[in-house]
Each structure stands twice: as structure tokens, then as C-alpha cells.
Amino acid sequence: MSLSPGFSGRRGFDTSRLPPGQYPTYDFPVLSAGPTPAVDPDDWVFTVASETGWRARWTWQQFLALPQQEVTTDLHCVTRWSKFDTRWRGVSLDTLLADAETAADFVVAHCHGGYTTDLPLEDVLDGQAWVVHEYDGFPLSPEHGGPARLLVPHLYLWKSAKWVRGLTLSPVDEPGFWEAAGYHNHGDPWREQRTWQD
């Protein structure tokens, strides 16, 4: 394993937790495809829709009243940094999709600002994904996707869409913003699925 310059003198990182090609950081870099949208929680509404016409809808207060989970996990960005033991609070997608009437294999996340990303449904169920609204014990800041973002920590971070406002269940794969621009459609850090060629 090769380490980034200066890494050898730093302590507290377990390099076995680093996917190939990644380096650890204490920072939480802010990367976005466009400007940070201003989203007032009082105006925030989260919707889930399926291909059958089934729909569900939660206001901010209704969303906060759903069962909440505390999540501690590592993050891996396609730009090669990894951040260990990040702490979040939010609602599992198992809860949000529990009543969905669907035979879909995919889910598309829709965000304020027009960003979308697609995921196989099997990657967001069984305790693998959340819509989170707190980071490190505080409300999620706008630059990190607040008031709420998707968290799918076993995939590269672009799949954890910021400023999320809804999910659409789909029987067909619908590549989102970065996938259409050449990023890998799945994005597994341990397999270095960074681009379509990987």
C-alpha cells in the first residue's frame, strides 16, 4: 500500500480501513457541482414515489418524528480522501420505503439544485442507507447538504447526494448527474469504481 506524502508521521489512522488509492484526512472537504442552495426546513418536503403510482410525503416535522438512528461510519470520496468515524443522525431508507408498492430494482435521489444520482435498490436497504439531518451532534450545515442529505457510506460519497428532497423508485437504471458525466454507475471504493472504465 502506498501512502500519501506526510502520512507516515500521523497517528490514529487504521490503514486497513482505507480502500485502494485513498488517503485519510481529519478534515471534511466541501465539494459541490454547483452553488449551495438555501433550503428552509419549514419549506422542506420529502417525497417517495414508485413506478406504480404509490407516493409518500413527509414535512420536516413529520420526518423528525420518524424513528431516528445514530450512525458512525467511514466516508470515501472519489477525489481520494477518506474520513473515519463520522457521526450522523437520520432516518433509515428501510423506514422511508417500508410501505412502498414497487417491483423496482433502482432508486433515483432528487435534490434541490437539480442534482440526481441513481442506486440499485439493494444498495440502500437492510441498514445500508439513511437520510441524515445531523452531523457530529449538530444540525447538518448547508455546505455539507443540510437540511438533509442521503448517506450511503459503502459507496463513493457522490452517491450520498446533498440537499435531498425525494426518491423515485424505477424498474430501469437512470444515470444521474455524475454518472452521465463519466463517473462509474455503482461507485464501490473497495473496487476503485471511479469512472465508467473501472
Side-chain angles (χ1 to χ4, degrees):
M1 174 184 295
S2 63
L3 301 176
S4 60
F7 174 76
S8 60
R10 302 180 78 172
R11 299 181 182 216
F13 290 117
D14 175 3
T15 56
S16 70
R17 292 162 62 181
L18 278 177
Q22 297 291 112
Y23 68 88
T25 182
Y26 285 113
D27 299 325
F28 195 166
V30 175
L31 302 171
S32 301
T36 298
V39 183
D40 187 335
D42 289 339
D43 298 326
W44 184 88
V45 174
F46 191 82
T47 60
V48 179
S50 78
E51 80 285 5
T52 66
W54 176 89
R55 293 180 64 85
R57 179 183 184 276
W58 296 271
T59 65
W60 184 251
Q61 292 304 320
Q62 290 169 334
F63 175 77
L64 295 181
L66 292 171
Q68 304 285 315
Q69 293 183 359
E70 306 286 340
V71 181
T72 300
T73 189
D74 299 343
L75 300 180
H76 308 294
C77 183
V78 71
T79 59
R80 300 189 182 274
W81 59 262
S82 291
K83 185 172 178 60
F84 294 161
D85 298 320
T86 62
R87 298 190 306 119
W88 306 85
R89 179 178 174 82
V91 179
S92 171
L93 261 66
D94 294 309
T95 297
L96 296 170
L97 299 176
D99 297 325
E101 299 171 1
T102 185
D105 292 320
F106 301 94
V107 60
V108 178
H110 301 273
C111 305
H112 292 276
Y115 179 88
T116 63
T117 192
D118 66 312
L119 302 117
L121 196 57
E122 65 183 8
D123 272 306
V124 302
L125 298 177
D126 300 322
Q128 297 184 93
W130 299 263
V131 173
V132 292
H133 58 89
E134 287 186 9
Y135 173 71
D136 210 16
F138 294 93
L140 186 58
S141 62
E143 62 267 25
H144 286 302
R149 75 178 294 163
L150 193 60
L151 178 66
V152 191
H154 68 284
L155 300 178
Y156 280 126
L157 196 56
W158 88 80
K159 294 290 188 176
S160 295
K162 296 180 180 180
W163 313 299
V164 69
R165 61 179 179 79
L167 304 172
T168 300
L169 296 161
S170 174
V172 297
D173 193 8
E174 300 178 29
F177 179 88
W178 285 116
E179 296 85 11
Y183 279 40
H184 197 279
N185 209 37
H186 189 226
D188 183 342
W190 294 97
R191 298 170 65 187
E192 288 198 88
Q193 293 176 334
R194 301 175 190 277
T195 70
W196 279 99
Q197 289 74 41
D198 295 329

